[in-house]
Amino acid sequence: MIRLDNISKQNGSQIVFIEASAGLLKGEKAGLVGPNGAGKTTLFRMIDGQELPDEGQVSVDRGVSIGYFSQDVGEMSGHSAVTEVMNGCGPVSEVAAELKALEAAMADPDRMDEMDEIIERYGEVQGRFEELDGYALEGRAREVLDGLSFSQEMMDGDVGKLSGGWKMRVALARILLMRPDVMLLDEPSNHLDLESLIWLEAFLKGYDGALMMTSHDREFMNRIVTKIVEIDAGGLTTYSGDYEFYESQRAQNEKQQQAQFERQQAMLSKEIKFIERFMARASHAAQVQSRVKKLDKIERVEPPKRRQTVQFDFPPAPRSGDDIVALKDVNKAYGARIIYEGLDFSIHRRERWCVMGVNGAGKSTLLKLVTGSTDPDAGTVSMGSTVKLGYFAQHAMELLDGDRTVFESLEDSFPQAGQGSLRALAGCFGFSGDDVEKKCRVLSGGEKARLVMAKMLYDPPNFLVLDEPTNHLDIATKEMLIAALANYEGTMLFVSHDRHFLAALSNRVLEVTPDGIHQYGGGYTEYVARTGQEAPGLRS
C-alpha cells in the first residue's frame, strides 16, 4: 500500500533521513518509534503528501485514502462537536450543513414568504442525505464521541468552547469516523483518560485498514501494533512484533554487534602488533605486506549506536512518621454538584495509592484536598507533623518564570548546589547541551512538566502527590521516572492514565465512584484481577 524507497530528507542543517526504506502493507498495524526530533512527524507528512523527500520516493497505491491525525488540530468553532466530526467525511457533511440551515430557515418567521421553496429544497436535500447514509453517520459520530468520553451536552455544544485537549479528541474522532484505508496517528493517546484509551484500543484492534502510529504509552502500543518501524540516525529499521519484542530484539542485536566489534578489535590489535613488530625486518617483509593488504580489505564492524539513556537516583527522603494524612467526614461540592459527602480516608507511611475514577469523579479534587490546595466544605484534613509534601499538578507549570532559563530556574531553587550536579539533574530530565539555556516561556508542555518534576525530586519530599505526572513524557523518560520512583522510600498518592506506570508503582487502589469510594489492598494489577476491568468506567 505504502512504500518508502531510499528516501533522504534534510530540514535546515539537520539530516533527518539518509537512503531510508520501509513499507506498510494492507491491514498492517505498525508503531513508529524513535527519540524526540528523530523525524516521526516528518515521515507522516511525507506519506500524507504534505512534504516531499529530497531524494528517493514515497509511493501510495492508487485509490488509497489516508487519514492523518496530528497534534496541530487547527481552528474549530461555530459548529457542534458532532458536526465538526462529520465534516471530515466528504460530501455528506456539506449536505448535513445545508439540512441544518434549511431547518433553521423553516423556523424563521421572517422567511414565511419563502416557505414553499424552502420546504421543497428541504425534501431534495433530505433525500440526498438519506442516499449518503447521513442519519447512520450521525449515529456513528455520536458513538465515537461517546467512546472518547463526550457527554451529550458536549457533543451538541459549540466545539469552540472546548479546551485544547477536548478539541484534540474531536480531531481524532473525525479520523476514526472516516475509516480511511490508512490511518496515520501521531500520539493519539495524549489527552485521553483511561476509559477513552481502552475504548480507542478496542476500536483500533477492530479496524481492518492499515495503521501507523506513534505513542508514548507502551501498553497501548503493545496491544495494537504487530510491527515496529524505528527511526535511528537517519535510517529506518523494521521489527516484526510488538513494542516489547522490539525492545528485547534491539537489545539482543546490540549485544551481538558489540560482541562482533570486540572480536574484530582483538583480531585487528593482534595483526597491528605483528606488523609493528616485524615491519623493519627484511626476513618478514612478505608476511608484513600480506597482513597489511589483508587489513585494508577487512570490512570494519561498527560498535552499536548507544541510545542515550538517563538514570535518576533519588537522594534519600527524610523519614516520616507512620501517619501521613487523614480525611475525616469530609464534604466537598462545586455549586450544586456534590463531589464528596462524609469522606473518610487515611494514608500511612510507604503506601502507594493510585486513584481511579471516570472523568469528573473527583480524582484531582481529592489530591487538592490532601495537599491543602482546596479546603473541604466540612470535615477535617490532617497532615502528619513530620510529613514533607511534594505536589505535582498541571498548574505548577504555569508558575515557572518565563524569563529564566532552565538552568537558572534550577539554580533559583537550589542555590547551594554545584553546577555539575544541576547539569546532571537537567540531563536526567531530558535537558542536555544547549537545552539548559532555553527560556522557560518557550518550553513545550512536556518540557515544562519535566522541569517541574526535576525541581521537585532533587530535594525529595517523603510524601509525593502526583496528578498525571506522565502526560507528554516520552517512553524513555517514563521508564527513568518509574525506575526512580520504584526505589523511592517515601509515600505516594497519584492519578495516572498510564497502565504501565500504575502497575509498576501502586500497592493500594482508591476507586472513586458515584456510590462512594472503594479501597483495594494490593496494586493496580491486583485491582484488575479482582474487578475484571482495567478502569471503573468500563464496568457493565
Side-chain angles (χ1 to χ4, degrees):
M1 289 185 91
I2 293 171
R3 289 171 305 285
L4 301 111
D5 296 315
N6 294 312
I7 59 164
S8 295
K9 180 74 176 175
Q10 189 165 338
N11 288 337
S13 61
Q14 185 198 5
I15 295 170
V16 187
F17 295 107
I18 309 168
E19 297 183 351
S21 298
L24 186 67
L25 302 175
K26 187 175 182 180
E28 275 190 326
K29 293 181 169 70
L32 182 63
V33 303
N36 283 341
K40 298 188 286 289
T41 298
T42 301
L43 187 73
F44 279 149
R45 288 174 63 82
M46 286 195 290
I47 293 172
D48 195 42
Q50 296 180 35
E51 288 189 38
L52 295 172
D54 300 333
E55 293 174 24
Q57 193 171 9
V58 178
S59 310
V60 179
D61 286 352
R62 189 189 296 275
V64 167
S65 58
I66 294 176
Y68 172 36
F69 167 75
S70 77
Q71 294 294 301
D72 182 14
V73 299
E75 188 52 44
M76 290 183 189
S77 63
H79 300 293
S80 69
V82 170
T83 304
E84 193 69 43
V85 169
M86 290 169 64
N87 278 349
C89 293
V92 70
S93 60
E94 294 163 25
V95 177
E98 188 178 354
L99 208 56
K100 278 263 175 17
L102 288 166
E103 284 168 0
M106 285 192 288
D108 185 351
D110 294 338
R111 300 187 67 180
M112 288 302 292
D113 54 342
E114 303 172 62
M115 204 50 67
D116 289 345
E117 293 91 331
I118 292 169
I119 290 170
E120 186 181 348
R121 179 61 185 156
Y122 185 79
E124 292 166 7
V125 174
Q126 192 176 41
R128 177 72 180 132
F129 192 61
E130 285 172 357
E131 272 174 40
L132 293 169
D133 207 18
Y135 290 109
L137 185 71
E138 181 170 340
R140 292 208 324 271
R142 288 182 181 278
E143 197 178 309
V144 170
L145 287 169
D146 180 62
L148 295 175
S149 299
F150 280 75
S151 65
Q152 291 298 323
E153 189 181 348
M154 289 167 74
M155 290 182 204
D156 294 317
D158 183 352
V159 73
K161 292 180 180 172
L162 296 175
S163 68
W166 286 100
K167 284 179 179 171
M168 286 273 190
R169 297 192 197 204
V170 171
L172 176 60
R174 193 189 292 154
I175 304 298
L176 301 182
L177 184 66
M178 253 175 83
R179 293 192 84 99
D181 300 316
V182 178
M183 280 192 206
L184 306 176
L185 304 180
D186 194 359
E187 293 295 343
S189 50
N190 274 2
H191 303 285
L192 296 186
D193 55 86
L194 190 48
E195 284 79 10
S196 300
L197 196 65
I198 292 165
W199 176 88
L200 179 60
E201 195 174 274
F203 184 99
L204 293 177
K205 276 164 122 174
Y207 166 62
D208 55 10
L211 168 70
M212 184 178 276
M213 71 171 189
T214 63
S215 176
H216 291 159
D217 189 320
R218 63 183 295 152
E219 193 64 41
F220 179 71
M221 183 106 79
N222 263 337
R223 299 190 190 195
I224 296 166
V225 305
T226 52
K227 80 173 188 181
I228 295 287
V229 178
E230 179 193 47
I231 305 176
D232 192 17
L236 290 170
T237 309
T238 300
Y239 296 79
S240 294
D242 61 12
Y243 186 83
E244 210 81 36
F245 175 80
Y246 149 74
E247 267 198 326
S248 63
Q249 191 64 46
R250 192 180 194 282
Q252 191 178 324
N253 292 352
E254 278 185 1
K255 197 174 173 184
Q256 288 171 350
Q257 192 175 340
Q258 182 67 27
Q260 285 178 323
F261 172 73
E262 287 171 1
R263 279 197 300 273
Q264 190 181 70
Q265 289 299 302
M267 180 273 290
L268 291 173
S269 175
K270 190 177 172 185
E271 294 295 316
I272 289 165
K273 277 179 186 169
F274 179 91
I275 292 164
E276 287 172 345
R277 185 177 174 192
F278 294 110
M279 66 190 304
R281 298 188 191 181
S283 58
H284 286 76
Q287 279 176 288
V288 167
Q289 202 56 36
S290 167
R291 293 197 181 199
V292 168
K293 284 181 182 175
K294 178 183 163 189
L295 287 188
D296 285 343
K297 288 178 184 174
I298 286 174
E299 189 176 336
R300 298 293 197 266
V301 175
E302 294 292 325
K305 293 188 284 286
R306 293 285 176 204
R307 192 60 76 70
Q308 189 180 4
T309 55
V310 291
Q311 297 297 326
F312 178 74
D313 294 321
F314 261 108
R319 192 185 187 284
S320 70
D322 288 339
D323 296 325
I324 302 299
V325 69
L327 289 79
K328 289 186 180 168
D329 207 19
V330 163
N331 292 355
K332 185 65 185 176
Y334 293 110
R337 191 163 147 257
I338 295 169
I339 310 293
Y340 292 110
E341 199 167 19
L343 171 65
D344 290 319
F345 173 56
S346 56
I347 300 173
H348 301 100
R349 191 171 75 87
R350 303 289 300 269
E351 290 180 341
R352 295 161 172 249
W353 287 91
C354 71
V355 186
M356 310 284 297
V358 297
N359 263 341
K363 302 187 294 293
S364 293
T365 300
L366 178 67
L367 270 52
K368 287 175 182 173
L369 286 165
V370 165
T371 56
S373 307
T374 192
D375 294 323
D377 300 333
T380 59
V381 179
S382 312
M383 189 79 72
S385 58
T386 55
V387 171
K388 181 183 173 188
L389 173 70
Y391 177 33
F392 176 88
Q394 302 300 312
H395 78 268
M397 298 180 278
E398 298 160 19
L399 303 179
L400 294 169
D401 184 342
D403 292 326
R404 305 294 280 167
T405 66
V406 168
F407 193 74
E408 286 168 345
S409 187
L410 292 174
E411 278 189 316
D412 293 343
S413 297
F414 310 109
Q416 304 303 315
Q419 287 220 350
S421 171
L422 291 183
R423 285 192 181 275
L425 173 67
C428 285
F429 284 86
F431 298 105
S432 54
D434 293 340
D435 288 343
V436 294
E437 300 307 324
K438 280 185 181 176
K439 296 269 191 193
C440 288
R441 74 160 68 88
V442 303
L443 299 180
S444 68
E447 287 171 325
K448 286 179 180 176
R450 295 203 306 270
L451 177 55
V452 169
M453 211 168 287
K455 292 169 82 164
M456 185 175 72
L457 299 182
Y458 185 66
D459 180 21
N462 52 31
F463 180 36
L464 275 178
V465 179
L466 309 173
D467 195 356
E468 294 289 3
T470 60
N471 274 3
H472 303 293
L473 298 187
D474 61 25
I475 289 177
T477 311
K478 278 186 195 178
E479 292 299 329
M480 179 275 287
L481 185 61
I482 287 170
L485 291 174
N487 294 319
Y488 168 66
E489 296 201 344
T491 305
M492 288 172 62
L493 174 71
F494 61 93
V495 173
S496 175
H497 63 253
D498 188 295
R499 286 162 290 181
H500 182 53
F501 188 88
L502 291 169
L505 296 173
S506 60
N507 61 22
R508 301 280 190 284
V509 174
L510 183 75
E511 185 187 64
V512 182
T513 73
D515 309 326
I517 64 165
H518 306 284
Q519 301 184 31
Y520 295 86
Y524 176 71
T525 305
E526 290 86 350
Y527 165 82
V528 173
R530 282 179 66 180
T531 64
Q533 296 289 354
E534 292 186 297
L538 300 175
R539 292 214 182 135
S540 50

